[in-house]
Amino acid sequence: MMSAKVCSSSNVVQAQKIVDQLRMEAGVDRIKISLTAAELVQYCQDHKRGDPLLTGITASSNPFKEKKTCVLL
């Protein structure tokens, strides 16, 4: 009988901790996804000229371009 009371009490304490955590999470202020997405789109449009994925990298400034080698036959 005693172990059943201890288990029951332990379950109640654990359940109370979960409820407290969920209440805390429910109270967090969140940003609307549509607003965040609109800001992201605007940022991408504002910075697209400097984005090498969109504009490419000039051959003269590309550090990964293979160096030309001179081969004598």
Side-chain angles (χ1 to χ4, degrees):
M1 260 302 178
M2 188 64 163
S3 67
K5 267 188 173 179
V6 171
C7 285
S8 177
S9 176
S10 174
N11 288 342
V12 169
V13 169
Q14 185 178 10
Q16 185 61 44
K17 286 181 182 181
I18 293 171
V19 168
D20 291 342
Q21 178 67 30
L22 291 172
R23 283 186 180 150
M24 184 184 74
E25 290 176 14
V28 172
D29 288 334
R30 290 180 168 71
I31 300 171
K32 297 264 185 207
I33 292 175
S34 58
L35 296 176
T36 305
E39 289 174 358
L40 181 60
V41 168
Q42 186 62 46
Y43 177 86
C44 291
Q45 289 175 346
D46 292 344
H47 294 88
K48 65 183 173 186
R49 289 183 186 226
D51 189 341
L53 294 175
L54 296 175
T55 59
I57 299 173
T58 61
S60 61
S61 66
N62 185 355
F64 301 105
K65 182 179 177 185
E66 290 185 27
K67 308 291 187 248
K68 292 183 181 179
T69 58
C70 181
V71 178
L72 297 174
L73 295 178

